[in-house]
């Protein structure tokens, strides 16, 4: 199957290893990955910060770039959620009915990674090995907007050698929330502290999620505390071969 | 459109900073919200048709809001026909003036109050005090707040920020009838409050209440509660004055079937609340002889005019959204600068009052948009959607506008994004030492930009064009 990768601006710029891991996993499963070079951002940051006009420009660009593809994957729960839940709504509100219709047509073809694997490709065993104790944080948009449910866990359970830990209060927000972490730094840090405590209580060596922005947040605090827990995107674990660092 | 007692509140992040550092508050809130959160989930899980009930509740409210004028006129007609008097108040000042005049006409200088959000919203107690009229709160938690000279911090349990030991101190200080050896045993505290209130109930000739619902077709007004103190206020005095937000009206009595199921389960996690009082005008020989219904706008029609924001008017004040909110649990209710705390307060206050003040302009940003509130809301208010909508309208600092403009420009074209990524990759160490905002670096390390962006890697390794 030919799959277009929407790597997302955050992964593209800060976490390219996640994009490379998606390529590794999908190619290992025998699929063709393409990277439409015109892509930039889904507009989430501008939308959530109160700049809908700027976000709308990105909706328009995204739609133009990805419209030609039948299957699109985004290794980020919140970016996939922005495309699926917001793009058409934003366009409609701005009176851009034509763009709204195109965005609505495109939306169901955009999948978060675990959705693509489980629902579209019908696999849970992607042939990975990752011999470490791992805790999975479901992240808010994956959990409540995309309703990923146990898809990521089903994928993780099939990974050789992986010891899956139960994260207490898993559904509670880590406190990132984009610019929330800056505008409400104190409350954000308090939320993060509780998430870090929950992660540490599991004895996990690796914290996994389907969204690098949340991992950057919790991971930044874990690193600051020299907690001895590192973070890894779901894609990187699924790309793992059990030898050295994945991807 | 004012909430007079909350003038000059600091922006949310400043108030929240203090609350986050208040260890006792954090503990009180974490315990209280954690318990009710689990109980609500269990109470809701009992109903196989919860999703349908929620959808019905939403649709009934939306239908009513879409024909609000019609149903309010019907309500006025039926209440009047049943011997009540209906008053219309455009804002807090008008509502306070009406209630003050009505109490004065009775010649009384003390009124007993049923717990009510609408009267908190308009600052009625303060307005009455200025007119020499004492308003006595009879809801236990509201009484604790009043005796403590405090502000409410939760819709349902306004004293949720207090623990038993603090309540005992407040009673000892401000309740003359409290026994000298009062302990912090809940039964002892309740008994002390009961004695204190009983004298008030028996002496009261005027009561002031809010309303949970009003049925347009019959002119019936309802209050639901747990303690029974409201029932005393609604039945013993000669005059009853009810202040009700105009969005509380429902078309028919059948609609109560839905709301009397979703409200208690969402609110107190009960299948049915212990007391539901309903009255239609006045009934000779039974209950108050005079009934006044004050219909309050105070920013509601302005809110109704906003196609996205108007869903906030569906709210039935159950407080489920507060109890699941991770921000509320850490910032506490006072930081929201209004009697409406938590997620609903963050979308309601800036709409009822406008975005003009520091605190109101900061409220749409007082959320990580985690969506836990929307998930539990029994009338399906998409609170994150309204927050995002209000963020678009909120005033922003020039420095922020500039930063977002630059980011927007970089993200507007793949070529510019690639150039920015290249520059960041070449100066990785510099970027690391760059002063990222303290709000982040205080507690979190900053990621170091990679030497090679994904698109650069793709171009070098996979690009076949
Ligand atoms: S917004 Fe919804 S959950 Fe929150 S108090 Fe109102 S009805 Fe309850």
């Amino acid at each position: 199957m030919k799959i277009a990768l929407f790597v997302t601006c955050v992964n593209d710029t800060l976490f390219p290893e996640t994009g490379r891991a998606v390529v590794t996993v999908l190619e290992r499963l025998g699929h063709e990955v393409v990277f439409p070079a015109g892509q930039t951002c889904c507009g989430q940051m501008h939308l959530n910060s109160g700049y809908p006009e700027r976000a709308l420009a990105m909706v328009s660009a995204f739609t133009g770039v990805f419209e030609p593809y039948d299957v699109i994957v985004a290794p980020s729960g919140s970016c996939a959620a922005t495309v699926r839940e917001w793009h058409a709504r934003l366009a409609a509100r701005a009176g851009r009915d034509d763009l709204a219709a195109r965005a609505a047509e495109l939306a169901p073809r955009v999948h978060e990674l675990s959705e693509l694997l489980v629902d579209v490709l019908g696999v849970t065993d992607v042939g990975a090995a990752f011999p470490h104790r791992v805790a999975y944080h479901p992240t808010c948009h994956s959990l409540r907007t995309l309703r990923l449910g146990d898809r990521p866990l089903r994928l993780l359970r099939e990974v050789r050698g992986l010891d899956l830990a139960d994260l207490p209060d898993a559904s509670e927000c880590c406190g990132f929330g984009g610019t929330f972490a800056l505008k409400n730094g104190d409350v954000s840090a308090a939320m993060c502290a509780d998430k870090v405590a929950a992660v540490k209580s599991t004895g996990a060596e690796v914290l996994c999620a389907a969204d690098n922005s949340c991992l950057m947040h919790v991971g930044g605090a874990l690193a600051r505390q020299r907690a001895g827990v590192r973070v890894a995107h779901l894609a990187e674990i699924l790309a793992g071969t059990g030898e050295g660092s994945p991807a | 459109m004012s909430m007079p007692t909350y003038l000059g509140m600091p922006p949310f992040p400043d108030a929240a900073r203090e609350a986050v550092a208040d260890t006792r508050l954090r503990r009180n809130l974490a315990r209280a919200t954690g318990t009710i959160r689990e109980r609500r989930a269990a109470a809701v899980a009992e109903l196989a048709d919860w999703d349908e009930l929620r959808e019905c509740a939403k649709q009934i409210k939306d239908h009513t809001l879409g024909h609000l004028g019609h149903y309010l006129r019907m309500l006025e007609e039926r209440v009047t026909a049943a011997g009540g008097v209906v008053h219309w108040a455009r804002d807090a000042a008008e509502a306070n003036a009406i209630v003050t005049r009505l109490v004065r006409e009775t010649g009384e200088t003390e009124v007993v109050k049923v717990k009510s959000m609408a009267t908190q919203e308009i600052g009625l107690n303060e307005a009455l005090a200025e007119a020499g009229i004492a308003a006595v709160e009879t809801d236990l938690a509201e009484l604790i707040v009043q005796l403590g000279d405090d502000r409410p911090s939760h819709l349902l349990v306004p004293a949720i920020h207090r623990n038993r030991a603090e309540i005992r101190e407040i009673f000892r200080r401000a309740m003359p009838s409290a026994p000298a050896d009062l302990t912090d045993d809940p039964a002892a505290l309740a008994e002390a409050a009961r004695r204190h209130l009983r004298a008030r109930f028996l002496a009261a000739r005027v009561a002031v209440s809010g309303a949970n619902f009003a049925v347009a077709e019959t002119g019936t007004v309802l209050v639901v509660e747990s303690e029974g103190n409201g029932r005393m206020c609604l039945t013993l005095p000669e005059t009853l004055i009810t202040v009700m937000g105009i969005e509380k009206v429902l078309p028919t009595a059948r609609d109560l079937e839905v709301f009397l199921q979703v409200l208690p389960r969402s609110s107190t996690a009960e299948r049915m609340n212990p007391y539901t009082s309903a009255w239609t005008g006045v009934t000779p020989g039974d209950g108050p002889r005079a009934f006044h219904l004050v219909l309050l706008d105070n920013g509601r029609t302005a809110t109704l005019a906003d196609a996205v924001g108007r869903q906030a008017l569906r709210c039935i004040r159950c407080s489920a959204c507060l109890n699941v909110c991770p921000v509320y649990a850490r910032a506490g209710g006072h930081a929201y600068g209004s009697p409406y705390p938590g997620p609903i307060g963050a979308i309601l206050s800036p709409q009822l009052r406008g975005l003009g003040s520091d605190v109101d302009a900061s409220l749409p940003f007082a959320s990580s948009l985690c969506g836990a509130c929307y998930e539990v809301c029994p009338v399906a208010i998409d609170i994150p959607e309204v927050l995002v909508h209000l963020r678009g309208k909120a005033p922003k600092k020039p420095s922020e506008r500039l930063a977002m403009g630059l980011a927007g420009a970089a993200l507007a074209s793949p070529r510019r994004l690639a150039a920015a990524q290249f520059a960041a990759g070449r100066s990785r160490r510099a970027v690391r030492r760059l002063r990222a905002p303290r709000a982040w670096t205080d507690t979190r390390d900053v990621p170091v930009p990679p030497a090679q962006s994904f698109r650069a890697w793709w171009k070098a390794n996979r690009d076949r064009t």
Side-chain angles (χ1 to χ4, degrees):
Chain A
M1 191 180 284
K2 181 168 161 180
I3 299 162
L5 171 61
F6 171 47
V7 75
T8 81
C9 66
V10 166
N11 288 331
D12 184 7
T13 307
L14 292 174
F15 306 104
E17 62 277 17
T18 296
R20 296 200 298 269
V22 175
V23 174
T24 303
V25 173
L26 294 178
E27 287 182 348
R28 189 165 68 204
L29 293 170
H31 301 285
E32 182 196 353
V33 181
V34 293
F35 178 76
Q39 64 179 279
T40 58
C41 169
C42 67
Q44 178 181 194
M45 177 175 74
H46 285 88
L47 167 70
N48 286 351
S49 308
Y51 299 85
E53 334 72 40
R54 288 194 179 275
L56 187 64
M58 296 176 208
V59 172
S60 173
F62 179 93
T63 307
V65 168
F66 284 100
E67 250 173 347
Y69 301 95
D70 292 330
V71 180
I72 299 132
V73 65
S76 158
S78 63
C79 300
T82 299
V83 173
R84 289 232 297 266
E85 294 295 317
W86 275 99
H87 275 194
R89 228 193 292 180
L90 260 178
R93 266 188 212 152
R96 304 263 306 268
D97 293 345
D98 183 47
L99 178 61
R102 286 166 55 208
E105 205 265 319
L106 173 59
R109 285 185 269 144
V110 179
H111 311 276
E112 182 278 332
L113 178 63
S114 69
E115 291 175 323
L116 175 81
L117 292 169
V118 176
D119 301 346
V120 182
L121 304 179
V123 286
T124 47
D125 184 349
V126 298
F130 194 80
H132 304 279
R133 184 164 169 82
V134 175
Y136 176 75
H137 169 51
T139 79
C140 301
H141 291 103
S142 302
L143 188 72
R144 285 182 275 265
T145 310
L146 293 180
R147 305 202 165 275
L148 292 188
D150 67 350
R151 289 180 187 82
L153 295 173
R154 282 160 65 194
L155 291 161
L156 289 172
R157 282 192 201 109
E158 300 287 345
V159 174
R160 319 274 179 276
L162 190 145
D163 171 18
L164 191 59
D166 220 1
L167 181 66
D169 297 321
S171 64
E172 184 128 336
C173 177
C174 74
F176 175 59
T179 46
F180 174 77
L182 302 177
K183 286 193 189 230
N184 281 283
D186 293 279
V187 179
S188 168
M191 289 162 70
C192 192
D194 291 341
K195 184 59 72 181
V196 163
V199 171
K200 286 203 272 191
S201 78
T202 65
E205 179 191 341
V206 179
L207 175 67
C208 169
D211 221 313
N212 270 329
S213 39
C214 309
L215 284 181
M216 173 174 77
H217 184 239
V218 185
L222 286 165
R224 170 62 55 87
Q225 297 177 21
R226 314 293 188 262
V229 185
R230 67 191 159 97
V231 297
H233 190 282
L234 176 66
E236 290 158 39
I237 291 180
L238 298 181
T241 56
E243 296 157 16
S245 75
Chain B
M1 281 183 238
S2 58
M3 298 189 194
T5 45
Y6 291 90
L7 284 178
M9 285 287 293
F12 184 85
D14 293 356
R17 184 171 305 122
E18 281 181 35
V20 164
D22 184 338
T23 53
R24 180 154 68 173
L25 175 71
R26 290 281 295 277
R27 195 174 146 76
N28 291 354
L29 275 175
R31 284 181 122 189
T33 58
T35 311
I36 187 74
R37 189 185 297 195
E38 279 167 30
R39 289 180 45 220
R40 184 214 73 93
V44 163
E46 278 184 357
L47 294 182
D49 61 348
W50 178 257
D51 291 341
E52 283 105 317
L53 276 171
R54 186 175 184 242
E55 182 60 26
C56 283
K58 173 187 178 210
Q59 288 193 17
I60 292 168
K61 281 286 183 184
D62 278 349
H63 166 82
T64 315
L65 291 169
H67 304 83
L68 194 55
H70 168 73
Y71 287 117
L72 287 171
R73 279 190 296 273
M74 189 188 289
L75 177 69
E76 178 182 35
E77 190 193 304
R78 305 292 147 90
V79 169
T80 309
V85 183
V86 175
H87 310 258
W88 299 80
R90 205 167 300 150
D91 55 21
E94 272 191 23
N96 287 331
I98 292 167
V99 178
T100 306
R101 175 172 57 77
L102 292 172
V103 178
R104 276 214 174 115
E105 282 171 8
T106 67
E108 292 299 311
T109 54
E110 184 173 298
V111 302
V112 285
K113 280 191 71 199
V114 184
K115 180 174 160 19
S116 132
M117 292 312 301
T119 61
Q120 287 282 3
E121 174 187 324
I122 62 176
L124 179 66
N125 292 5
E126 291 76 6
L128 288 174
E130 267 177 41
I133 300 162
V136 179
E137 295 290 352
T138 65
D139 172 82
L140 180 56
E142 203 73 79
L143 177 69
I144 294 164
V145 169
Q146 187 177 43
L147 292 178
D149 212 6
D150 200 353
R151 284 177 175 162
S153 69
H154 188 275
L155 293 176
L156 178 77
V157 196
I160 197 168
H161 57 290
R162 299 289 194 193
N163 62 26
R164 279 155 37 185
E166 292 172 278
I167 294 166
R168 178 183 58 173
E169 287 319 305
I170 291 168
F171 280 10
R172 273 190 179 164
R173 208 168 46 234
M175 189 186 276
S177 61
D181 59 349
L182 182 65
T183 68
D184 67 0
D185 174 43
L189 294 171
E191 182 55 28
R194 204 170 286 133
R195 280 170 191 281
H196 171 79
L197 288 174
R198 191 164 297 152
R200 292 342 227 284
F201 288 134
L202 294 175
R205 304 177 71 120
V206 181
V208 175
S209 85
N212 291 99
F213 310 102
V215 178
E217 114 189 299
T218 59
T220 306
V221 181
L222 287 94
V223 163
V224 302
E225 49 150 350
S226 297
E227 294 172 356
N229 292 345
R231 170 76 54 88
M232 303 279 251
C233 296
L234 296 168
T235 50
L236 290 174
E238 285 159 18
T239 301
L240 171 61
I241 304 167
T242 298
V243 182
M244 176 188 118
I246 51 174
E247 81 283 20
K248 297 283 161 224
V249 67
L250 292 174
T252 71
R254 267 200 66 177
D255 300 323
L256 294 169
E257 175 203 336
V258 173
F259 289 98
L260 293 181
Q261 289 189 76
V262 294
L263 178 55
R265 286 182 194 259
S266 301
S267 185
T268 50
E270 292 167 306
R271 292 175 181 150
M272 189 75 225
N273 48 287
Y275 295 87
T276 300
S277 302
W279 65 98
T280 308
V282 292
T283 307
D286 181 12
R289 272 180 276 158
F291 169 54
H292 296 271
L293 179 62
V294 182
L295 295 173
L296 175 73
D297 185 325
N298 207 35
R300 286 165 175 77
T301 47
T303 305
L304 196 57
D306 185 321
V308 178
R310 68 168 65 121
Q311 54 185 308
L313 297 178
R314 293 204 291 255
C315 175
I316 55 173
R317 314 279 189 259
C318 73
S319 64
C321 59
L322 280 65
N323 298 332
V324 297
C325 179
V327 176
Y328 172 83
R330 291 164 181 88
H334 293 156
Y336 293 82
S338 106
Y340 299 115
I344 181 60
I347 62 168
L348 197 57
S349 303
Q351 297 201 84
L352 295 181
R353 304 192 293 204
L355 287 154
S357 74
D358 281 354
V359 64
D360 289 324
S362 70
L363 286 177
F365 299 93
S367 165
S368 65
L369 304 178
C370 82
C373 47
Y374 177 33
E375 196 173 51
V376 298
C377 177
V379 286
I381 301 173
D382 190 340
I383 294 176
E385 176 185 39
V386 182
L387 287 167
V388 166
H389 173 67
L390 294 173
R391 287 177 185 189
K393 296 177 151 192
K396 294 168 197 84
K397 286 196 198 123
S399 56
E400 187 201 300
R401 276 196 179 282
L402 179 70
M404 294 302 283
L406 288 173
L411 293 168
S413 97
R415 230 172 308 121
R416 278 190 236 156
L417 178 57
Q421 288 167 341
F422 183 73
R426 291 294 288 269
S427 47
R428 301 174 63 189
R429 281 168 214 289
V431 170
R432 182 166 219 176
R433 266 182 270 117
L434 197 94
R435 272 191 297 147
R438 259 201 48 202
W440 183 277
T441 55
D442 271 355
T443 52
R444 291 156 284 221
D445 285 354
V446 186
V448 182
Q452 189 184 40
S453 69
F454 178 81
R455 72 180 63 226
W457 174 84
W458 180 273
K459 206 164 179 320
N461 294 279
R462 286 290 193 287
D463 206 356
R464 298 169 192 104
T465 54

Short mmCIF file of all heavy atoms in Angstrom, two decimals, chain B residues 4 88 92 97 105 118 155 214 238 243 250 252 256 261 265 281 295 317 326 344 374 395 409:
data_model
loop_
_atom_site.label_atom_id
_atom_site.label_comp_id
_atom_site.label_asym_id
_atom_site.label_seq_id
_atom_site.Cartn_x
_atom_site.Cartn_y
_atom_site.Cartn_z
N PRO B 4 -20.22 42.07 41.03
CA PRO B 4 -19.58 43.17 41.73
C PRO B 4 -18.50 42.78 42.73
O PRO B 4 -17.54 43.51 42.91
CB PRO B 4 -20.75 43.85 42.46
CG PRO B 4 -21.98 43.14 42.07
CD PRO B 4 -21.65 41.97 41.26
N TRP B 88 -38.40 41.24 35.51
CA TRP B 88 -37.33 41.05 34.54
C TRP B 88 -36.15 41.93 34.92
O TRP B 88 -36.32 43.13 35.11
CB TRP B 88 -37.80 41.41 33.12
CG TRP B 88 -38.96 40.57 32.65
CD1 TRP B 88 -40.28 40.73 32.98
CD2 TRP B 88 -38.90 39.42 31.80
NE1 TRP B 88 -41.05 39.77 32.37
CE2 TRP B 88 -40.23 38.95 31.63
CE3 TRP B 88 -37.87 38.75 31.15
CZ2 TRP B 88 -40.54 37.85 30.85
CZ3 TRP B 88 -38.19 37.65 30.36
CH2 TRP B 88 -39.51 37.20 30.22
N ALA B 92 -27.14 42.68 36.97
CA ALA B 92 -27.03 42.44 38.40
C ALA B 92 -27.64 43.59 39.20
O ALA B 92 -28.37 43.37 40.17
CB ALA B 92 -25.56 42.25 38.78
N ALA B 97 -31.66 45.49 42.89
CA ALA B 97 -32.60 46.56 43.27
C ALA B 97 -34.01 45.97 43.44
O ALA B 97 -34.72 46.33 44.39
CB ALA B 97 -32.59 47.66 42.21
N GLU B 105 -40.25 46.02 51.28
CA GLU B 105 -41.72 46.13 51.34
C GLU B 105 -42.32 45.22 52.40
O GLU B 105 -43.42 45.47 52.89
CB GLU B 105 -42.33 45.82 49.96
CG GLU B 105 -42.21 47.00 49.00
CD GLU B 105 -42.59 46.66 47.56
OE1 GLU B 105 -43.11 45.54 47.33
OE2 GLU B 105 -42.35 47.51 46.68
N ALA B 118 -27.16 31.98 41.01
CA ALA B 118 -27.55 33.25 40.41
C ALA B 118 -27.36 34.41 41.39
O ALA B 118 -26.89 35.49 41.02
CB ALA B 118 -29.00 33.19 39.93
N LEU B 155 -19.04 24.79 42.64
CA LEU B 155 -20.45 25.05 42.39
C LEU B 155 -21.34 24.36 43.42
O LEU B 155 -22.30 24.94 43.92
CB LEU B 155 -20.84 24.52 41.00
CG LEU B 155 -20.23 25.21 39.78
CD1 LEU B 155 -20.66 24.47 38.52
CD2 LEU B 155 -20.67 26.67 39.71
N ALA B 214 -37.30 25.67 35.60
CA ALA B 214 -38.65 26.23 35.64
C ALA B 214 -39.37 25.69 34.41
O ALA B 214 -38.81 25.67 33.31
CB ALA B 214 -38.61 27.74 35.61
N GLU B 238 -43.21 33.58 54.67
CA GLU B 238 -44.43 34.09 54.03
C GLU B 238 -44.16 34.56 52.61
O GLU B 238 -45.04 34.54 51.76
CB GLU B 238 -44.99 35.26 54.85
CG GLU B 238 -45.67 34.80 56.12
CD GLU B 238 -45.76 35.90 57.14
OE1 GLU B 238 -45.62 37.08 56.77
OE2 GLU B 238 -45.97 35.57 58.32
N VAL B 243 -34.53 34.09 42.31
CA VAL B 243 -33.76 34.72 41.23
C VAL B 243 -33.27 33.61 40.32
O VAL B 243 -32.59 32.68 40.76
CB VAL B 243 -32.56 35.52 41.78
CG1 VAL B 243 -31.80 36.19 40.64
CG2 VAL B 243 -33.01 36.54 42.81
N LEU B 250 -37.45 25.30 31.04
CA LEU B 250 -37.65 24.10 30.21
C LEU B 250 -39.07 24.16 29.65
O LEU B 250 -39.97 24.66 30.31
CB LEU B 250 -37.51 22.83 31.06
CG LEU B 250 -36.13 22.49 31.61
CD1 LEU B 250 -36.22 21.28 32.54
CD2 LEU B 250 -35.15 22.21 30.47
N THR B 252 -41.48 21.67 28.98
CA THR B 252 -42.57 20.89 29.58
C THR B 252 -42.11 20.11 30.80
O THR B 252 -40.91 19.88 31.00
CB THR B 252 -43.13 19.85 28.57
OG1 THR B 252 -42.15 18.82 28.41
CG2 THR B 252 -43.42 20.47 27.22
N LEU B 256 -38.37 17.11 32.57
CA LEU B 256 -37.72 16.84 33.86
C LEU B 256 -37.28 15.39 33.96
O LEU B 256 -36.34 15.07 34.68
CB LEU B 256 -38.68 17.18 35.00
CG LEU B 256 -39.03 18.67 35.13
CD1 LEU B 256 -40.18 18.84 36.11
CD2 LEU B 256 -37.81 19.46 35.59
N GLN B 261 -32.66 12.88 36.08
CA GLN B 261 -31.76 11.72 36.07
C GLN B 261 -30.31 12.16 35.93
O GLN B 261 -29.44 11.71 36.65
CB GLN B 261 -32.10 10.78 34.91
CG GLN B 261 -33.41 10.03 35.08
CD GLN B 261 -33.56 8.96 33.99
OE1 GLN B 261 -32.93 7.91 34.06
NE2 GLN B 261 -34.40 9.23 33.02
N ARG B 265 -26.89 12.33 39.26
CA ARG B 265 -25.79 11.40 39.00
C ARG B 265 -24.49 12.15 38.69
O ARG B 265 -23.41 11.74 39.09
CB ARG B 265 -26.14 10.44 37.86
CG ARG B 265 -27.15 9.40 38.30
CD ARG B 265 -27.48 8.41 37.21
NE ARG B 265 -28.68 7.66 37.56
CZ ARG B 265 -28.67 6.42 38.05
NH1 ARG B 265 -27.55 5.77 38.23
NH2 ARG B 265 -29.81 5.82 38.37
N GLY B 281 -46.59 29.08 41.50
CA GLY B 281 -47.20 30.29 42.06
C GLY B 281 -47.39 30.15 43.56
O GLY B 281 -46.49 29.70 44.26
N LEU B 295 -36.40 37.14 36.74
CA LEU B 295 -35.73 36.52 35.60
C LEU B 295 -34.52 37.37 35.22
O LEU B 295 -34.64 38.54 34.86
CB LEU B 295 -36.70 36.41 34.41
CG LEU B 295 -37.89 35.47 34.66
CD1 LEU B 295 -38.88 35.55 33.50
CD2 LEU B 295 -37.42 34.03 34.86
N ARG B 317 -25.15 23.32 36.04
CA ARG B 317 -24.39 23.56 37.27
C ARG B 317 -24.21 22.29 38.11
O ARG B 317 -24.34 22.33 39.34
CB ARG B 317 -25.08 24.62 38.15
CG ARG B 317 -25.55 25.86 37.41
CD ARG B 317 -24.44 26.85 37.18
NE ARG B 317 -24.97 28.10 36.66
CZ ARG B 317 -24.92 28.46 35.38
NH1 ARG B 317 -24.34 27.68 34.47
NH2 ARG B 317 -25.41 29.62 35.00
N PRO B 326 -8.05 18.62 35.90
CA PRO B 326 -6.73 18.61 36.55
C PRO B 326 -6.24 20.02 36.89
O PRO B 326 -5.45 20.19 37.81
CB PRO B 326 -5.82 17.96 35.51
CG PRO B 326 -6.50 18.16 34.20
CD PRO B 326 -7.98 18.19 34.50
N ILE B 344 -16.29 25.23 33.45
CA ILE B 344 -17.48 25.99 33.04
C ILE B 344 -17.27 27.48 33.35
O ILE B 344 -17.66 28.35 32.55
CB ILE B 344 -18.77 25.45 33.70
CG1 ILE B 344 -20.00 26.24 33.24
CG2 ILE B 344 -18.72 25.45 35.21
CD1 ILE B 344 -20.27 26.21 31.74
N TYR B 374 -15.49 17.93 28.88
CA TYR B 374 -16.46 17.64 27.83
C TYR B 374 -16.96 16.21 27.96
O TYR B 374 -18.15 15.91 27.81
CB TYR B 374 -15.78 17.87 26.47
CG TYR B 374 -16.59 17.55 25.24
CD1 TYR B 374 -17.97 17.73 25.20
CD2 TYR B 374 -15.96 17.10 24.09
CE1 TYR B 374 -18.69 17.45 24.06
CE2 TYR B 374 -16.68 16.82 22.94
CZ TYR B 374 -18.05 16.99 22.93
OH TYR B 374 -18.76 16.71 21.80
N PRO B 395 -7.78 39.49 24.09
CA PRO B 395 -6.65 40.36 23.76
C PRO B 395 -5.32 39.63 24.01
O PRO B 395 -5.22 38.81 24.90
CB PRO B 395 -6.82 41.53 24.74
CG PRO B 395 -7.66 41.01 25.85
CD PRO B 395 -8.52 39.94 25.27
N ALA B 409 4.82 32.43 9.89
CA ALA B 409 5.53 32.69 8.64
C ALA B 409 6.45 31.52 8.30
O ALA B 409 6.53 31.07 7.16
CB ALA B 409 6.32 33.99 8.75
#
